[in-house]
Amino acid sequence: MSSFPLLTLTAALPAVGAIATAAVPAARRTTAKWLALAFSLATLVLAGIIATRFTPGGARYQLTESHAWIADFGVRYELGVDGIAVVLIGLTAVLVPFVMLAGWHDADVLEAHRPNRNWRPTQGFFALILLVEAMVVIAFESTDVFLFYIFFEAMLIPMYFLIGGFGDRAGAHGEDEQSKQWREAPPMRAVVGDGRAKQRSYAAVKFLLYNLLGGLIMLAAVIGLYVVTANQLGHGTFSLPQILQARAVGRMHISAVAERWIFLGFFFAFAVKAPLWPLHTWLPNAMGEATAPVAVLITAVVDKVGTFAMLRYCLQLFPNASNWAAPVILVLSLISIVYGALLAIGQRDIKRLVAYTSISHFGFIILGIFAMTSQGQSGAALYMVNHGVSTAAWLLVAGFLISRRGSRLITDFGGVQKVAPLLAGTFLVGSLAILSLPGLGPFVSEFLVLVGTFSRYPVLGVIATFAIVLAALYVLILYQRTMTGPVKAGIESMKDLRLRELVVVGPLIALLIFLGVYPKPITNYLNPAVKDTLSDVHKSDPAPQINAVAKETAK
Amino acid sequence: MDHLIGALVGAPLLGAGILLTGGRRLDRIGHWIGCLLAAVSFAIGVLLFADMLGKSGAARTMTSHLFSWVPVASFQANVSFQLDQLSMTFVLLITGVGTLIHIYSVGYMEYDERRRQFFGYLNLFLAAMLLLVLADNYLLLYVGWEGVGLASYLLIGFWQHKPSAATAAKKAFIVNRVGDMGLSIAVMVMFTTFGTFTFGPVLAHATSASQAKLTGIGLLLLLGACGKSAQVPLQSWLGDAMEGPTPVSALIHAATMVTAGVYLITRSGAIFNAAPTAQLAVTVVGAVTLLFGAIVGCAKDDIKKALAGSTMSQIGYMILAAGLGPIGYVFAIMHLVTHGFFKAGLFLGAGSVMHGMNDEVDMRKYGGLRTYMPITYVTFGLGYLAIIGFPGLSGYWSKDKIIEAAFAKGGTDGWILGGVALLGAGITAFYMTRVMLMTFFGDKRWGREAAQEPGGVAQPQPHPHEAPKTMTIPMIILAFGSVFAGGLFSINSSFLHWLQPVTGHTEGHLPVSAAVIQAATLVVLAIGLGLAWRQYGRQAVPAVAPRGSLLTRAARRDLLQDDFNHVALVKPGEYLTRGLVYLDHSLVDGAVNGTAASVGGLSGRLRRLQNGYVRSYAVSMFGGAALLVAATLLMRGV
Amino acid sequence: MNPVNYLYLAALLFTIGGAGVMIRRNAIIVFMCVELMLNACNLAFVTFARLHDNLDGQIFAFFTMVVAAAEVVVGLAIIVTFFRSRHSASVDDASLMKL
């Protein structure tokens, strides 16, 4: 059974689904939707099978597949998953069906403008989502740096079209209209343009340029890695297991300078994707302009590739450089945490607010990764899952809210609780998850990250803990302004959640509670992988001053 | 028997789950489901209590390990419970008073369309509070800690359509979060110091940690306690929290949740005993809050806010006692229990008054209600006598012990703390007598207002009436508690013997004899009573508050706490976030956009060279070729 | 006769052709000037072949002739088409890549 290419199949299935969905005739939009949903559910089943076939604590990379691909350059088609990858593939596979359901009508053709009969945005929308899923999955699976790089870059293309092509129908009521008073001169001519389309294409281009720049620098580093391996091993290779193996037996000695430069090249790309302050400014634009489901896809799925890659590539390939750069990265992530939270408080646009909270949360993830403790890294990996689920729950409900009112401005809402209690209630649960209330998933991971950071860097840990107060502020202020108080004009006739929307939100909330109460099944997958990574970077957890546990058991 | 501990938390949690997800179908019976599950929890509590009484010594501590919660390397968090005498005391108080207040709420919330949700939140609160007192480690305690904060948030803001309620709820949560931050950092310090945060090992080895660590942990725990128990400097939320329905104020903001800080400090006694600096800080916070709350309580015209000030002050007593170390722990908890009875009773009484007065809360619009609501009058009156420490009633036994313990601390500290506690007793007598007189005695001042407000909207005349039975019965039971609990606990020092194995106890040495202190307490009490009667009993209460002295005006504004927070925290915070939003646009994003714009500008200029004329291209080609040739020649020359 | 003189001639022809390309506007004349430059190059190639005593230069000259012939075919066709649509043979009228 080991020869069965399960990983390839998991990545290929949504890709095939994308082609099939795109091929559905223009008139049969509903068929296309159900087809895409079926493919995403089938992928979920495969992800489940991966999880059951994987043995936590067994070999480091399991279910491996390895084939020569571009033999002249040592590029191999190598797949393999560790515990973290299994969990993140699961997260991706779980979220995509919800994203599709939530965006069920986002790409419907408006009867008013239909250029020609062959125009079929619906098919495109769902096909692109499936395409993104396929690429993200294979990026999680790949153990060959070059293979990873290709899909890391390639996923920008469908994302670009999803952001630029399918805007939010919230009309002209966005932050930017309001924010004109914040800046005398608009920074780019594109912004001054009339209408949402220009805003949207500005956001999409910004997304693309930022990430392409990161990718370009990474490409240089990838080539550098090839040169180094070619020098050291006699044949260039991009294979992660081969490089790790060579280092373990002492055949790889990268000079400190080279290691640092290559590390920085990789890290830059991942930091743009993640995004880390000060490379974050594409995210609020992209998330603000995209529809809520696409915004979820950006922040909950695609961006996870960045933080995942830090764990897998930065730490494992360049342990010394990682330790060297850790202090600076920790400070940057701390800035991200506090800065994102403070900016979230100051936002007037719901979706931009969510984007800034994500920046804050990505700060936590990166903090946990580079704190180099078991708690920090397990926490960071778990945080990726929890952030994905909680942001999805929160932002999708926010999306329902926005599409009902046709506005993203916080001031356009008020008293929603009175007219749509279910919507308000689910929004509240999502909000509480975001502020990491104990009992819901994010608390566990946030606390692990904080403890992990604190045990090595007490001051950083304390400063990061301030963010829990800031999180309460931005979340509750938003809830108070939109949901409570007297019912505002334009809200009176707001409908409560429909069945389809409940199907989206209900399971996500259940998942949040499950992750908060019993995260052990997930940590079982994560812990062995984190242990391996920590031994790669030659770090062990700081020992407590008084080992009370040992003393108790000794008694 | 030990498995039942889980059921103690499980029952109300189940109730919350059913009520909050059950939908409208349950509207008609939802409140009874809530009451039933609270009662079930109480019954289990009583069962466990009986079981515990049957055992002796160390066997009384029961533990129950449910499952491993977050295992990551040496970080092992478990969901497991520990039920000892201290937890048991809390369990009985929480479920007992909780059940009574559930029943009371059936009547109080009768006409509210969201009554089912209200009971769901109440059950959620019970579950979280029980989790808090039953947890066997600090992280699980933290879960309960934030859980009660959530329930408090939901219940304060229960009438969300009122902006004031929504604001108060948010404020309570955020101020509490500041405290929670302290608690969570304390857990982190424990983890790095002891390698665990389970009560057993941490407390057993507390003395082997360095003084600095212990003081740090102590102060951080105190910060947590300040947030939850509304102690200075995190006290500002409690007054606003009175926006919530009155049963909530009785249960959460008087009897149980706000006492969680006292529980935390008593539970962590071993740490505080080893850290005198932290202990001193605890007593100072307690003493300051004691006076602070009492002064605020004197000036409020809103009956619930006056009671809130009183709660703050009484918890100040408990914190003060807990800060005294082993001489005070038992009395802190004893006062906590008796306070749970009489303060819950007082709040329920206030709720009953409001129920009969069209939700009017201004005491200046009450007066002479004793003939209209006899049961409320009697039960409220008994609670009143208990809180001021009238000899023989509950409050007398517990508060007197705290005052004695404060003097027994010894040295200058002892005199100052004892003096403050004594003074507090006098002020308590003053403000509570004021509440009593303004509400139930004097002329009736209601009914006049419609005539007095020219052009105002004609309000319906209040028709004060006694509350329904579901409301009066809990009040009567609580009144019994207010009268007898303290005395019962003091027979043979039974409460002391009960708690001593957990908290430890040492007798302090009083600088003067106990009788002198008791006499002094009575004298102070009489003075407070007399002053209040002179001001509010002998002369009529004006319907509009007089301007008052500077202190009165400051006290009406909660001694300027909100103004301070506004100037010191809120405004700078607003400027900071606005400034950052601007900077993010102009500086961080601006730098990137600036690069993009300059590249764009450069290419615009370069574009002009591409004019389409073949000749000019040809010239540039020849020029380039000529340059190349020249360069080649030059290079050869070098 | 010294073969170097042929090189001087080639340079002269090339310069005349280059100047013609840059100065003249009539497409036909520009075109002939390009041919002149190509032929100057051919002359230089052949001369170099003679100077260095090998055949490389002569082979290159053949290549150049083939390319020049191909270029004439394409170039003249473009010029004729252009003249038909614009009624002009001036290269300045062809400054845009569209009509």
Side-chain angles (χ1 to χ4, degrees):
Chain A
M1 201 58 197
S2 61
S3 60
F4 184 75
L6 183 59
L7 295 184
T8 304
L9 189 66
T10 314
L13 191 69
V16 172
I19 296 167
T21 310
V24 172
R28 319 202 51 179
R29 293 199 304 272
T30 319
T31 317
K33 292 177 184 176
W34 284 107
L35 189 68
L37 188 63
F39 269 99
S40 70
L41 288 174
T43 312
L44 177 59
V45 171
L46 284 180
I49 295 174
I50 292 182
T52 50
R53 292 230 171 275
F54 183 86
T55 327
R60 181 163 193 176
Y61 292 108
Q62 300 181 20
L63 307 169
T64 49
E65 295 168 31
S66 182
H67 306 281
W69 182 25
I70 310 178
D72 290 346
F73 297 108
V75 178
R76 299 183 67 81
Y77 177 79
E78 271 197 350
L79 303 182
V81 284
D82 57 2
I84 302 173
V86 170
V87 168
L88 289 176
I89 291 170
L91 171 75
T92 309
V94 166
L95 287 183
V96 167
F98 290 119
V99 164
M100 284 183 179
L101 269 179
W104 206 243
H105 297 297
D106 279 6
D108 283 357
V109 182
L110 291 180
E111 292 305 320
H113 58 84
R114 180 184 292 194
N116 63 52
R117 282 190 20 237
N118 289 326
W119 197 55
R120 35 188 194 173
T122 317
Q123 282 85 340
F125 184 72
F126 286 91
L128 286 173
I129 292 178
L130 279 172
L131 202 57
V132 171
E133 180 178 19
M135 289 175 175
V136 169
V137 167
I138 204 163
F140 285 139
E141 289 172 347
S142 124
T143 52
D144 185 280
V145 178
F146 197 83
L147 187 67
F148 169 81
Y149 171 76
I150 290 174
F151 288 101
F152 183 76
E153 286 292 275
M155 71 180 77
L156 298 179
I157 299 161
M159 282 317 297
Y160 170 80
F161 287 111
L162 280 174
I163 297 170
F166 302 91
D168 184 340
R169 296 228 174 105
H173 299 278
E175 162 85 357
D176 284 292
E177 208 178 332
Q178 285 261 319
S179 70
K180 270 177 194 158
Q181 55 181 314
W182 291 110
R183 43 192 176 150
E184 291 77 24
M188 248 182 116
R189 257 166 277 169
V191 183
V192 213
D194 45 352
R196 304 303 293 167
K198 284 204 171 160
Q199 286 285 346
R200 215 160 66 211
S201 79
Y202 169 72
V205 168
K206 197 168 173 180
F207 163 82
L208 194 66
L209 284 182
Y210 259 85
N211 283 287
L212 275 181
L213 179 68
L216 206 63
I217 291 176
M218 182 179 161
L219 179 62
V222 168
I223 294 168
L225 181 69
Y226 178 79
V227 172
V228 169
T229 53
N231 279 340
Q232 299 276 326
L233 302 176
H235 63 279
T237 180
F238 294 106
S239 160
L240 187 60
Q242 278 187 30
I243 295 175
L244 291 183
Q245 172 72 21
R247 204 180 50 218
V249 299
R251 283 180 58 209
M252 274 277 289
H253 300 284
I254 313 181
S255 75
V257 179
E259 189 185 342
R260 286 172 190 178
W261 279 108
I262 300 176
F263 166 83
L264 286 179
F266 275 79
F267 183 78
F268 184 81
F270 304 150
V272 169
K273 188 77 107 189
L276 183 68
W277 187 90
L279 304 169
H280 64 275
T281 54
W282 63 270
L283 189 70
N285 285 81
M287 280 177 70
E289 295 306 324
T291 63
V294 172
V296 168
L297 209 58
I298 298 173
T299 186
V301 177
V302 173
D303 285 357
K304 294 295 180 299
V305 180
T307 45
F308 166 79
M310 285 183 198
L311 259 175
R312 180 174 272 191
Y313 297 105
C314 283
L315 295 194
Q316 297 184 15
L317 286 174
F318 318 106
N320 300 325
S322 299
N323 283 321
W324 163 75
V328 178
I329 295 172
L330 286 171
V331 170
L332 287 181
S333 54
L334 204 60
I335 295 176
S336 274
I337 293 172
V338 177
Y339 188 86
L342 283 174
L343 274 157
I345 296 170
Q347 295 303 312
R348 292 135 186 251
D349 176 324
I350 296 175
K351 277 158 85 187
R352 288 179 68 95
L353 191 155
V354 177
Y356 279 105
T357 67
S358 280
I359 292 169
S360 182
H361 289 150
F362 277 110
F364 272 109
I365 297 175
I366 299 172
L367 187 73
I369 292 174
F370 282 90
M372 312 271 187
T373 54
S374 318
Q375 290 83 35
Q377 292 190 346
S378 283
L382 189 59
Y383 211 128
M384 292 185 214
V385 177
N386 284 324
H387 172 257
V389 180
S390 61
T391 307
W394 196 37
L395 186 52
L396 290 178
V397 180
F400 301 150
L401 183 72
I402 289 167
S403 63
R404 278 168 168 69
R405 174 71 175 82
S407 163
R408 304 185 335 226
L409 280 183
I410 294 171
T411 44
D412 282 345
F413 296 91
V416 174
Q417 199 278 332
K418 194 89 178 157
V419 287
L422 262 179
L423 198 156
T426 47
F427 188 73
L428 181 64
V429 178
S431 305
L432 294 173
I434 293 290
L435 65 74
S436 52
L437 188 88
L440 299 171
F443 166 73
V444 176
S445 45
E446 189 165 303
F447 199 82
L448 279 175
V449 167
L450 288 174
V451 163
T453 311
F454 185 86
S455 58
R456 204 181 286 283
Y457 309 96
V459 177
L460 297 186
V462 169
I463 298 174
T465 314
F466 275 101
I468 72 169
V469 178
L470 297 178
L473 266 173
Y474 59 66
V475 160
L476 294 184
I477 290 176
L478 175 65
Y479 184 81
Q480 185 195 355
R481 290 194 183 150
T482 51
M483 299 295 170
T484 69
V487 180
K488 275 222 172 145
I491 305 286
E492 304 93 340
S493 56
M494 188 175 274
K495 297 265 189 306
D496 212 338
L497 290 186
R498 292 183 196 88
L499 184 65
R500 169 179 63 84
E501 294 166 332
L502 267 180
V503 169
V504 173
V505 182
L508 286 176
I509 287 178
L511 196 57
L512 278 176
I513 295 174
F514 175 76
L515 286 171
V517 176
Y518 196 57
K520 202 177 158 197
I522 310 285
T523 52
N524 277 349
Y525 281 100
L526 301 177
N527 287 341
V530 164
K531 204 171 150 202
D532 289 337
T533 310
L534 272 182
S535 71
D536 281 337
V537 291
H538 318 296
K539 288 273 186 179
S540 55
D541 293 338
Q545 276 134 355
I546 304 154
N547 202 335
V549 183
K551 281 187 188 172
E552 285 291 295
T553 43
K555 259 194 230 172
Chain B
M1 212 61 187
D2 294 4
H3 317 295
L4 278 178
I5 304 177
L8 215 48
V9 182
L13 194 62
L14 177 73
I18 294 174
L19 292 174
L20 293 179
T21 57
R24 299 237 162 79
R25 279 157 291 172
L26 292 177
D27 271 355
R28 291 181 55 200
I29 51 158
H31 43 284
W32 291 118
I33 296 177
C35 291
L36 178 72
L37 286 163
V40 164
S41 193
F42 179 60
I44 298 172
V46 171
L47 207 63
L48 286 167
F49 179 59
D51 183 56
M52 189 182 274
L53 283 181
K55 297 174 186 170
S56 62
R60 282 191 167 178
T61 302
M62 292 184 243
T63 53
S64 162
H65 174 82
L66 285 193
F67 57 90
S68 167
W69 180 29
V70 193
V72 175
S74 58
F75 184 96
Q76 294 289 336
N78 294 321
V79 175
S80 44
F81 299 125
Q82 168 189 327
L83 183 67
D84 57 10
Q85 290 91 323
L86 181 60
S87 307
M88 193 74 237
T89 312
F90 271 90
V91 166
L92 291 178
L93 177 73
I94 295 160
T95 53
V97 175
T99 308
L100 289 178
I101 290 175
H102 271 75
I103 295 169
Y104 177 91
S105 308
V106 172
Y108 191 84
M109 301 297 284
E110 194 173 355
Y111 300 108
D112 197 297
E113 56 178 356
R114 289 168 64 223
R115 181 163 68 165
R116 174 179 55 82
Q117 278 178 36
F118 182 79
F119 277 85
Y121 294 158
L122 276 187
N123 270 344
L124 180 68
F125 169 76
L126 282 189
M129 190 71 204
L130 288 169
L131 187 66
L132 196 165
V133 296
L134 286 172
D136 87 330
N137 63 68
Y138 281 97
L139 195 66
L140 195 61
L141 179 147
Y142 184 75
V143 175
W145 192 265
E146 288 245 309
V148 292
L150 168 69
S152 159
Y153 168 79
L154 293 170
L155 286 166
I156 296 171
F158 187 71
W159 288 317
Q160 288 180 332
H161 51 91
K162 274 167 50 187
S164 57
T167 310
K170 181 189 71 183
K171 182 175 172 184
F173 195 94
I174 288 165
V175 175
N176 266 297
R177 265 261 155 154
V178 176
D180 296 352
M181 191 180 81
L183 181 54
S184 65
I185 298 176
V187 177
M188 292 176 211
V189 181
M190 279 177 208
F191 178 69
T192 55
T193 313
F194 301 105
T196 178
F197 34 78
T198 309
F199 289 150
V202 168
L203 298 175
H205 297 277
T207 42
S208 37
S210 71
Q211 192 64 36
K213 291 267 178 189
L214 287 174
T215 308
I217 295 175
L219 291 177
L220 288 165
L221 289 177
L222 175 63
L223 181 63
C226 282
K228 200 57 75 191
S229 294
Q231 300 294 296
V232 175
L234 298 178
Q235 81 293 12
S236 64
W237 63 273
L238 188 62
D240 294 348
M242 296 300 128
E243 287 289 341
T246 309
V248 173
S249 312
L251 178 61
I252 301 186
H253 305 120
T256 53
M257 183 191 87
V258 283
T259 58
V262 183
Y263 172 78
L264 182 68
I265 292 174
T266 313
R267 176 59 80 194
S268 319
I271 294 173
F272 282 96
N273 293 344
T277 319
Q279 248 181 346
L280 183 67
V282 174
T283 52
V284 169
V285 165
V288 169
T289 313
L290 188 171
L291 287 182
F292 187 103
I295 293 171
V296 170
C298 291
K300 291 288 183 185
D301 288 333
D302 179 327
I303 184 168
K304 284 179 73 183
K305 290 199 170 167
L307 288 177
S310 157
T311 304
M312 215 186 272
S313 165
Q314 297 300 315
I315 295 170
Y317 270 108
M318 301 171 208
I319 296 276
L320 169 63
L324 295 173
I327 52 173
Y329 291 134
V330 173
F331 303 125
I333 302 299
M334 186 161 138
H335 193 53
L336 192 155
V337 176
T338 56
H339 175 257
F341 283 119
F342 58 68
K343 187 52 69 65
L346 286 171
F347 264 111
L348 294 189
S352 170
V353 171
M354 286 161 59
H355 190 80
M357 295 288 290
N358 292 343
D359 287 330
E360 177 61 65
V361 290
D362 189 350
M363 292 191 290
R364 293 189 184 275
K365 291 175 183 161
Y366 292 166
L369 290 176
R370 66 181 182 283
T371 48
Y372 295 89
M373 323 179 162
I375 301 177
T376 308
Y377 165 60
V378 172
T379 53
F380 195 92
L382 288 173
Y384 153 74
L385 289 177
I387 194 174
I388 64 171
F390 194 79
L393 274 68
S394 288
Y396 168 76
W397 300 104
S398 50
K399 197 192 286 177
D400 193 56
K401 286 287 181 195
I402 293 179
I403 297 174
E404 283 177 28
F407 277 111
K409 187 171 194 287
T412 330
D413 293 358
W415 282 105
I416 295 174
L417 294 173
V420 168
L422 201 58
L423 180 63
I427 307 179
T428 308
F430 175 81
Y431 68 72
M432 283 313 299
T433 312
R434 173 173 176 271
V435 170
M436 194 70 196
L437 291 175
M438 284 173 88
T439 307
F440 291 103
F441 292 88
D443 313 328
K444 57 175 192 175
R445 294 180 296 278
W446 36 274
R448 284 186 275 175
E449 64 192 298
Q452 278 184 352
E453 273 176 34
V457 184
Q459 295 213 334
Q461 288 280 339
H463 297 288
H465 54 274
E466 194 52 88
K469 280 219 169 55
T470 46
M471 287 167 70
T472 50
I473 290 171
M475 285 155 59
I476 294 167
I477 296 174
L478 286 173
F480 269 98
S482 319
V483 176
F484 299 113
L488 216 60
F489 291 159
S490 300
I491 299 171
N492 293 333
S493 304
S494 55
F495 197 76
L496 183 68
H497 295 308
W498 162 253
L499 266 189
Q500 198 176 8
V502 182
T503 59
H505 184 72
T506 51
E507 281 298 331
H509 299 286
L510 286 174
V512 289
S513 80
V516 173
I517 296 177
Q518 282 164 14
T521 313
L522 287 180
V523 169
V524 170
L525 191 149
I527 294 173
L529 231 158
L531 282 177
W533 187 76
R534 191 181 65 94
Q535 187 138 9
Y536 300 99
R538 223 174 49 180
Q539 58 200 38
V541 179
V544 179
R547 193 152 175 276
S549 68
L550 203 62
L551 181 65
T552 315
R553 272 179 284 151
R556 277 193 199 128
R557 304 193 56 155
D558 300 317
L559 294 178
L560 305 179
Q561 58 192 12
D562 283 334
D563 306 75
F564 174 79
N565 287 348
H566 193 74
V567 172
L569 298 170
V570 179
K571 273 287 151 194
E574 265 173 29
Y575 288 128
L576 180 66
T577 53
R578 281 184 193 194
L580 277 180
V581 169
Y582 175 76
L583 281 184
D584 197 51
H585 258 304
S586 58
L587 208 71
V588 183
D589 211 14
V592 176
N593 283 329
T595 317
S598 54
V599 170
L602 187 65
S603 55
R605 245 153 248 137
L606 282 175
R607 197 179 59 189
R608 274 183 222 148
L609 293 178
Q610 311 289 317
N611 54 10
Y613 292 111
V614 178
R615 289 171 294 123
S616 69
Y617 295 145
V619 169
S620 54
M621 267 170 67
F622 277 101
L627 271 178
L628 276 180
V629 170
T632 320
L633 288 176
L634 276 176
M635 291 307 283
R636 212 170 50 175
V638 172
Chain C
M1 192 172 156
N2 189 354
V4 176
N5 290 335
Y6 289 102
L7 288 182
Y8 290 131
L9 178 61
L12 191 66
L13 285 174
F14 190 88
T15 314
I16 293 169
V21 169
M22 285 186 277
I23 293 165
R24 299 304 298 261
R25 297 184 185 187
N26 188 308
I28 306 279
I29 295 185
V30 170
F31 204 70
M32 283 165 67
C33 288
V34 172
E35 289 300 314
L36 196 57
M37 286 161 73
L38 284 171
N39 282 323
C41 292
N42 272 349
L43 186 57
F45 274 129
V46 174
T47 311
F48 284 129
R50 168 89 180 153
L51 279 176
H52 296 292
D53 252 353
N54 64 15
L55 287 175
D56 292 0
Q58 296 200 17
I59 293 167
F60 258 106
F62 279 113
F63 273 110
T64 316
M65 274 188 242
V66 173
V67 171
E71 190 203 322
V72 168
V73 174
V74 177
L76 277 177
I78 292 174
I79 291 170
V80 170
T81 321
F82 179 73
F83 185 79
R84 274 190 193 149
S85 63
R86 291 277 169 93
H87 301 290
S88 150
S90 167
V91 288
D92 283 5
D93 288 339
S95 66
L96 296 173
M97 289 180 86
K98 57 180 183 182
L99 284 175

